[in-house]
Amino acid sequence: MKTMTCKQLGGPCDVAHHGETADEVIKAQDRHLKEVVASGDETHKVPLKEMKGRWRHPISGMAWYRDAKRGFADLPDD
Ligand SMILES: [Zn+2]
């Protein structure tokens, strides 16, 4: 199990996501962005837009995805 924060995944806050794989924390971040923006948060709007763009443009989104995966791989286990 590893931990990545919202900030490490391109967001503005220090909320921590836990997961066994990079995909899990990326999905958790996606959920987190949607939840806080839905509750009226302004600071997560741009990261949410970027995240949505990545799903829509998988090729150009791939570089970010690879970096996130590499960052996750470099983290120590909790
Ligand atoms: Zn956040």
Side-chain angles (χ1 to χ4, degrees), residues 5-7 11-15 17 29 32-33 36 43-44:
T5 63
C6 176
K7 214 173 252 174
C13 79
D14 287 315
V15 164
H17 304 300
Q29 172 71 352
H32 163 68
L33 292 172
V36 292
T43 62
H44 287 72

Side-chain angles (χ1 to χ4, degrees), residues 28 30 33 38-39 44 53 56 58 75:
D30 190 42
L33 292 172
S39 70
H44 287 72
R56 228 174 286 133
L75 288 172

Side-chain angles (χ1 to χ4, degrees), residues 6-78:
C6 176
K7 214 173 252 174
Q8 285 172 299
L9 290 159
C13 79
D14 287 315
V15 164
H17 304 300
H18 309 281
E20 295 292 343
T21 65
D23 283 334
E24 277 181 34
V25 295
I26 290 166
K27 278 185 191 136
Q29 172 71 352
D30 190 42
R31 261 198 314 275
H32 163 68
L33 292 172
K34 283 180 191 152
E35 279 171 14
V36 292
V37 169
S39 70
D41 183 277
E42 292 287 324
T43 62
H44 287 72
K45 273 192 176 167
V46 170
L48 176 62
K49 211 173 142 219
E50 288 170 355
M51 186 71 92
K52 281 183 176 164
R54 272 175 215 122
W55 302 141
R56 228 174 286 133
H57 307 286
I59 307 293
S60 52
M62 197 55 79
W64 177 89
Y65 202 74
R66 247 198 327 262
D67 282 349
K69 282 197 158 178
R70 198 178 299 129
F72 186 87
D74 288 343
L75 288 172
D77 282 315
D78 286 346

